[in-house]
Amino acid sequence: MTNSIYAIAIAGILSAGAATSALAADDSRFGLVPGGPHPYFAAWEQAGVDAAADFGLSAAEYRVPQKWELSQQNQLLESLLSQGYNGFLIFPGDPVGAVSTAEELSGFGAPIIAGAGCYKDPSPAAFCLGTDTGNSAYIGTKELIKAMGDGEKRIAHFTGFLVDPNTQLRIDAVARAAEEEGATVVQVIADIDAPEPAEEKINAYLAANAGNVDGIITTAWVPAVVAANALRKMGDSGIKMVGIDHDEVVIQAIKDGIVDGTMLQNPYGQGYVGAFALDKLRSGCTVSADAPFGSNALTDKFIDSGTAFVDASDADTYLEAMRAETDRLLADFEDKYLTCS
Amino acid sequence: MTSQDSTFPATPGGPNAGRTTSPFFLSNEFGLILLIIVFAVIFGFSAQGFLSQFNLFTLGRNSAVNIMIGLSMMTVIVTGGLNLAVGAMGVSVAMVCGWMIEGVGLPWPLALLGALAFGAALGFINGGMVVRTGLHSFIITLATMSIFFGTMIFLTRAESFRELPSVFSTFGRMKFGGYVSPFLLLTLVVALLLAWLYRRTLTGREMLAAGASPAAAELSGIRVDRIIILCHMLSGVLAGMAALMLVARNGAAIPSMAGQLGQDWLLPAFLGPVLGGTLLQGGKVSVLGTVLGAFLVTMLSSGLLMLQVGAFWVQTFLGLMLLVAVLLDKARRSYLARRNLA
């Protein structure tokens, strides 16, 4: 027993030394951490790999909490910091509840950037790099109404988790766009950004109410996929639809004329530009006092990572649209938002 | 809080009556201590930063919450029951605390007390329904899990309480000596009190007696119904304490803090007591075992995460651990029975 305790003590001293030296190392090792498993964030993995290669980082690794739950995310972030990761792009598991952990991380000198979703001010995040979700939903709804043409305009809105701070912004934006165009939002179904609830609720709703709906707007990934599949199964329903994101199912449905278009977001750009900015912040750059940040309900340090409407005419080239958004963002990012000596 | 904290006494009179005396080296607790040492050495050598100051601090903080959740479940398992609503009760207590501070404007100490009383009230509902209906607590708490969580979501509209006093988040980040979270100290104090309850008080012995054999306990003059309700109330308070620690950790009361319906708490709730040797049939409890079991589970989660085995495998591994622990305990008890050691 005494030997075991002795071994632990030795191991502790050695490992603590190793950890300390890792924290103090001069290389950039970043963690790209979403709130939980979700296809939207898959592009962060490649973005991290590309950013590490292009900017000479030690690593920019995509690490996913095992569940979409704040405690799991906190535990993952704590373990990454202990392993010597020294910068983080984080989708906050909760806009306020996640601030406490971010403060702990930044207390060790690790820069933090909020990606895809924002912390509520005040927070230690340098800024929030995400989709202007309200604007995206607004543009998408306008495109849907345009596709619906004349006649009745009854819209069903399928959207994401109620605990996602973006969800309410999307609901409000769809309602605003509909009101401006004289359309009616006849149904909002939220909290369905996972396969099981999305399949159950969307299919049940359309089975009962297909005749009472002229258009569908989806503002979360999984509902977009499920609704596109539902319209494909229904055949010539006459229902128009605008989705969100670039799942293969949605893109193919656009090509086949089942779905009218989708609102691209730019998760790749968030990961790529986020890693670039983390490296700059770690190298001594600071956020410019006069940076032209936007505002949303959570923060006054918002940067729009880009959004674009894709329809049948450019469904084959949507990747180029995403890359173009990323290039546009990166081109003058340092000049606009950072001060580097 | 020693090994074999308490076992059902033949007569609930004396503090040591009816205790079994198998050797400590054959106990769950000894096995857990060995496992903790073995894994600490493995992770210490193989996982970079595992023994760093920050990781040891977070390990203590996270294990404190898991231990409290385990203790909450343990207090009901003692009676031979289960509390599937442990997460739903916890998150409801947290939200009531947030509402009392933000909505009512109560000072935070009063809100904490009020929220814990609310946890006891939820436990009273569970215990009362178990007693009145005669149904197993599995069924009752399965139903109340949905009822409590659903009502909470309906009333809060899934909105968090985020404007809590800074004392909460300050407490959540506090470190003693750079390593020790006050959460851990609080949890250990609660564990000591529970060990005292089961070993030194008549009420504690009655709880064990009621769990081991309700009919015999009733004949001995124990009001089993009242004891069962009391155990559920205690469970509600402990679940509330775990949740309030999470509120302090996050600086906010969040409806999703224990997952959908509070189900994310179920695995840690069972792992601690079962690994620690608390009998699912009731009548025997090990507070020390629960503490060690929950700590081992938290350490394994932390170590596996740091070894980057893949976050999704951690949950699988913990489930396997639960299964192996139950089978090993069965084998251990068979061995002890064959040797007439228990």
Side-chain angles (χ1 to χ4, degrees):
Chain A
M1 177 72 78
T2 312
N3 288 341
S4 300
I5 294 169
Y6 182 68
I8 292 174
I10 295 291
I13 292 164
L14 291 174
S15 299
T20 307
S21 60
L23 285 172
D26 197 28
D27 51 351
S28 290
R29 191 178 178 201
F30 301 144
L32 280 53
V33 182
H38 193 281
Y40 174 83
F41 295 100
W44 281 17
E45 183 164 22
Q46 189 58 46
V49 171
D50 292 349
D54 294 351
F55 306 130
L57 311 176
S58 173
E61 293 167 0
Y62 177 60
R63 295 276 176 247
V64 188
Q66 55 185 312
K67 284 183 184 173
W68 196 276
E69 210 259 297
L70 183 58
S71 295
Q72 302 283 349
Q73 188 188 45
N74 286 342
Q75 206 175 348
L76 179 61
L77 287 166
E78 289 162 358
S79 79
L80 292 176
L81 183 75
S82 298
Q83 290 169 66
Y85 286 74
N86 48 31
F88 298 92
L89 177 72
I90 302 170
F91 177 89
D94 180 89
V96 171
V99 169
S100 189
T101 299
E103 285 174 348
E104 278 186 341
L105 302 179
S106 67
F108 283 84
I112 311 280
I113 292 174
C118 304
Y119 291 96
K120 184 168 172 55
D121 286 341
S123 85
F127 49 80
C128 175
L129 181 59
T131 308
D132 184 345
T133 49
N135 186 44
S136 169
Y138 179 82
I139 294 170
T141 309
K142 291 271 188 178
E143 291 288 348
L144 173 68
I145 293 167
K146 196 191 299 177
M148 286 158 71
D150 299 329
E152 275 200 287
K153 298 182 180 67
R154 297 166 299 181
I155 297 172
H157 179 196
F158 305 141
T159 188
F161 295 122
L162 283 169
V163 291
D164 181 342
N166 292 318
T167 298
Q168 193 56 50
L169 298 175
R170 287 166 164 150
I171 292 172
D172 293 344
V174 169
R176 183 161 51 90
E179 190 181 343
E180 286 174 9
E181 299 295 331
T184 310
V185 179
V186 291
Q187 183 72 48
V188 178
I189 302 180
D191 230 12
I192 54 168
D193 199 11
E196 194 183 347
E199 288 280 355
E200 182 188 327
K201 290 182 180 170
I202 290 175
N203 287 328
Y205 178 75
L206 288 179
N209 296 288
N212 302 321
V213 173
D214 306 301
I216 294 171
I217 179 85
T218 59
T219 54
W221 185 300
V222 179
V225 173
V226 172
N229 278 333
L231 288 186
R232 186 183 289 278
K233 281 182 203 157
M234 288 166 65
D236 188 17
S237 63
I239 297 174
K240 299 290 181 181
M241 173 177 158
V242 168
I244 191 168
D245 296 321
H246 54 277
D247 191 279
E248 267 182 40
V249 170
V250 176
I251 297 294
Q252 190 58 48
I254 293 171
K255 290 177 185 172
D256 295 343
I258 295 163
V259 170
D260 295 89
T262 189
M263 291 305 300
L264 275 188
Q265 299 186 80
N266 189 14
Y268 179 87
Q270 291 159 9
Y272 190 78
V273 178
F276 166 80
L278 283 171
D279 189 43
K280 289 290 174 190
L281 291 169
R282 209 171 160 265
S283 307
C285 297
T286 55
V287 176
S288 297
D290 57 350
F293 289 125
S295 290
N296 62 24
L298 296 171
T299 182
D300 293 327
K301 294 183 289 182
F302 179 75
I303 299 173
D304 188 356
S305 57
T307 188
F309 178 71
V310 168
D311 61 14
S313 65
D314 46 11
D316 286 321
T317 56
Y318 75 93
L319 280 175
E320 286 164 28
M322 286 175 74
R323 285 199 195 97
E325 285 293 318
T326 303
D327 291 344
R328 176 193 62 76
L329 190 60
L330 190 63
D332 55 356
F333 191 90
E334 189 173 329
D335 292 339
K336 276 172 78 174
Y337 298 108
L338 302 175
T339 303
C340 302
S341 53
Chain B
M1 194 170 54
T2 59
S3 66
Q4 297 286 322
D5 285 317
S6 298
T7 308
F8 165 55
T11 56
N16 296 316
R19 292 187 64 216
T20 57
T21 54
S22 57
F24 180 63
F25 72 88
L26 286 174
S27 66
N28 277 72
E29 292 85 345
F30 182 74
L32 287 169
I33 290 170
L34 275 184
L35 281 174
I36 287 170
I37 291 171
V38 167
F39 280 112
V41 172
I42 292 172
F43 291 141
F45 278 111
S46 56
Q48 184 196 7
F50 180 76
L51 294 174
S52 64
Q53 192 176 26
F54 181 70
N55 195 55
L56 291 178
F57 163 70
T58 58
L59 185 57
R61 185 170 60 183
N62 293 334
S63 59
V65 177
N66 283 342
I67 291 168
M68 195 69 87
I69 293 170
L71 292 174
S72 170
M73 180 65 85
M74 184 196 75
T75 56
V76 175
I77 292 179
V78 167
T79 66
L82 296 171
N83 183 5
L84 300 185
V86 66
M89 292 165 86
V91 73
S92 298
V93 168
M95 299 309 287
V96 163
C97 179
W99 172 74
M100 283 180 173
I101 292 171
E102 262 189 54
V104 181
L106 282 182
W108 64 265
L110 279 181
L112 287 182
L113 290 175
L116 291 177
F118 182 72
L122 294 180
F124 181 82
I125 293 171
N126 277 346
M129 287 177 72
V130 168
V131 167
R132 291 290 289 245
T133 62
L135 293 170
H136 194 278
S137 51
F138 174 86
I139 301 297
I140 297 296
T141 56
L142 183 65
T144 56
M145 174 175 73
S146 293
I147 294 167
F148 294 160
F149 192 88
T151 306
M152 181 274 296
I153 286 287
F154 173 76
L155 292 176
T156 62
R157 295 173 174 268
E159 281 287 331
S160 305
F161 291 104
R162 293 167 168 142
E163 308 297 329
L164 302 185
S166 60
V167 66
F168 277 87
S169 46
T170 303
F171 186 66
R173 288 201 295 270
M174 195 182 283
K175 296 183 182 84
F176 292 130
Y179 286 92
V180 182
S181 166
F183 288 10
L184 189 58
L185 300 179
L186 175 67
T187 299
L188 291 179
V189 168
V190 169
L192 282 170
L193 288 173
L194 283 174
W196 172 77
L197 170 75
Y198 291 119
R199 285 175 63 84
R200 299 292 176 197
T201 69
L202 182 61
T203 305
R205 308 299 291 177
E206 287 181 347
M207 287 174 173
L208 295 167
S213 175
E218 198 78 57
L219 288 173
S220 304
I222 297 171
R223 296 177 67 179
V224 172
D225 289 355
R226 218 166 70 170
I227 289 292
I228 287 174
I229 291 173
L230 195 60
C231 287
H232 278 278
M233 290 174 72
L234 186 55
S235 180
V237 172
L238 294 174
M241 290 179 80
L244 292 175
M245 286 198 282
L246 283 179
V247 171
R249 167 77 184 84
N250 298 320
I254 305 167
S256 60
M257 62 196 286
Q260 179 68 11
L261 298 179
Q263 289 173 347
D264 286 356
W265 280 18
L266 284 181
L267 195 56
F270 281 111
L271 274 170
V274 172
L275 285 173
T278 297
L279 280 185
L280 285 173
Q281 298 94 321
K284 177 176 179 289
V285 68
S286 172
V287 177
L288 175 64
T290 301
V291 170
L292 292 171
F295 182 78
L296 175 65
V297 168
T298 314
M299 189 175 78
L300 282 170
S301 302
S302 169
L304 291 172
L305 274 178
M306 297 186 80
L307 285 175
Q308 301 192 357
V309 295
F312 301 105
W313 284 106
V314 174
Q315 203 74 2
T316 308
F317 190 82
L318 294 181
L320 279 173
M321 265 198 66
L322 180 61
L323 195 60
V324 170
V326 173
L327 293 175
L328 280 179
D329 188 53
K330 188 175 161 59
R332 185 184 64 87
R333 280 187 280 119
S334 299
Y335 174 82
L336 291 174
R338 280 201 306 275
R339 299 287 176 111
N340 291 324
L341 290 168

